[in-house]
Amino acid sequence: MIRFFILFALLFSFSGSALGQTPRWFEKIKEIRLLVDSYDQVIKLLGTPEDGTSEKKLAHYFYLEGGRVFVSFASGDCVVTDYSGGQPIGWKVPPWTVDSVSFYPKRPFSPKKFKIDPTGFQKHKIEDSRNAYSYENDDIGMDYTLNSDGKIESVSLYPGAKLRHLHCKPE
């Protein structure tokens, strides 16, 4: 009986400390510096892209413990497209510079496991999904989505307010 209580106490203490930690996948994606790191730096950090190719593409998926990471790279051009409303899009950075990172877990998880301060996040209903929401904070450059079960199904990092000066602007 004493062994049972000791085992229970050990398990409880380990699970309590794990809940207070930042998830490893989040620490890993935060190592990627938006609008600074290059394609090659991402390969060094995350390894070979999911498709196994060494060909540079403007977007790649990577495997990471617990899910997939999507990394988008800037083309280095400021362009006006038919979907940009007549405004230039892109970033004033060298080609193949990271401009966003997203994580998609294998299984959606409780927001309690992802200790995030909700201050500054705006809640938006996802129209094509019942009871699903996105939470966005443009100042820090982060959003996450909750599915209809209230579980996180994606976390994205994008250039926040301090990097807006690098965004393409109308001439």
Side-chain angles (χ1 to χ4, degrees):
M1 188 68 152
I2 292 175
R3 281 190 222 167
F4 172 76
F5 286 115
I6 292 171
L7 180 61
F8 180 77
L10 284 172
L11 287 173
F12 182 76
S13 68
F14 286 128
S15 67
S17 65
L19 289 176
Q21 296 176 348
T22 303
R24 277 190 278 196
W25 60 263
F26 191 60
E27 291 296 331
K28 193 74 158 176
I29 67 171
K30 281 182 17 182
E31 287 182 45
I32 300 170
R33 297 171 302 158
L34 300 177
L35 303 184
V36 173
D37 283 350
S38 69
Y39 183 93
D40 294 331
Q41 289 166 310
V42 170
I43 298 298
K44 285 180 187 173
L45 181 66
L46 298 179
T48 305
E50 186 177 274
D51 65 5
T53 184
S54 59
E55 177 187 344
K56 283 187 176 181
K57 296 180 183 174
L58 291 176
H60 271 296
Y61 279 99
F62 297 84
Y63 288 116
L64 198 60
E65 183 181 341
R68 299 167 78 195
V69 177
F70 178 80
V71 181
S72 174
F73 301 93
S75 69
D77 296 323
C78 292
V79 295
V80 175
T81 67
D82 54 353
Y83 56 84
S84 67
Q87 300 298 314
I89 57 173
W91 296 96
K92 297 178 203 169
V93 295
W96 309 111
T97 302
V98 177
D99 63 15
S100 69
V101 179
S102 298
F103 178 76
Y104 300 92
K106 287 179 186 171
R107 288 186 277 315
F109 58 91
S110 168
K112 292 177 184 176
K113 289 185 177 180
F114 185 57
K115 302 221 183 265
I116 184 92
D117 179 2
T119 305
F121 282 83
Q122 294 190 353
K123 182 179 180 179
H124 303 279
K125 175 128 180 65
I126 298 175
E127 295 301 324
D128 62 350
S129 184
R130 187 178 169 172
N131 296 324
Y133 296 90
S134 69
Y135 293 81
E136 302 171 6
N137 185 326
D138 288 335
D139 288 335
I140 64 171
M142 181 178 177
D143 68 48
Y144 59 96
T145 58
L146 297 182
N147 63 20
S148 58
D149 294 329
K151 306 249 179 174
I152 292 178
E153 60 182 15
S154 71
V155 176
S156 298
L157 304 176
Y158 54 91
K162 69 179 183 179
L163 297 173
R164 284 197 190 120
H165 66 282
L166 294 173
H167 199 266
C168 295
K169 293 177 181 48
E171 302 274 327

